[in-house]
Amino acid sequence: MATAYVEYGQLNAAPVAGYQTGSVARPLFGTCIATEALTIAGTASTGTVTGAATKTVARITADTACFFAIGTTPNPAATAANGAVTGSKRYLPAGQAVEVILASGAKVAVIAIS
């Protein structure tokens, strides 16, 4: 079963192309506060962990390529009327990680590529 893994934490510093500027580059993602695993299937799977003062960034990885979305009601399957991808849907390649800013109340959702 394909799975997306989400780690929630706080920012170490303001995001600059994924890393903090300065002489010692540190990852954007700080201490891990919570984790969850989401099943990647033909229908959207939405996490239960929400963004908060202690959870301001999410690191998402998946064992298969998928689409993901972030928001209070995220829809990783959303497309515009003309079939174009909307801003709410992003591609995540298998085995790669992406770090995204998480607003208060926001969740992560994933869906299989069809």
Side-chain angles (χ1 to χ4, degrees), residues 1-4 37-46 62-68 75-77 109-114:
M1 183 175 302
T3 306
L38 305 175
T39 301
I40 300 171
T43 57
S45 175
T46 303
D63 54 16
T64 189
C66 63
F67 288 114
F68 74 93
N75 183 0
V110 296
I111 194 167
I113 295 173
S114 55

Side-chain angles (χ1 to χ4, degrees), residues 53-90:
T54 57
K55 295 183 280 302
T56 58
V57 65
R59 178 186 293 137
I60 309 164
T61 57
D63 54 16
T64 189
C66 63
F67 288 114
F68 74 93
I70 308 295
T72 53
T73 55
N75 183 0
T79 56
N82 63 1
V85 174
T86 69
S88 65
K89 171 179 164 178
R90 290 180 57 191

Side-chain angles (χ1 to χ4, degrees), residues 14-15 23 26 30-32 36-37 41 56 65 73 77 91-92 103:
S23 60
R26 292 181 293 176
T31 304
C32 184
E36 66 183 338
T56 58
T73 55
Y91 175 75
L92 179 62

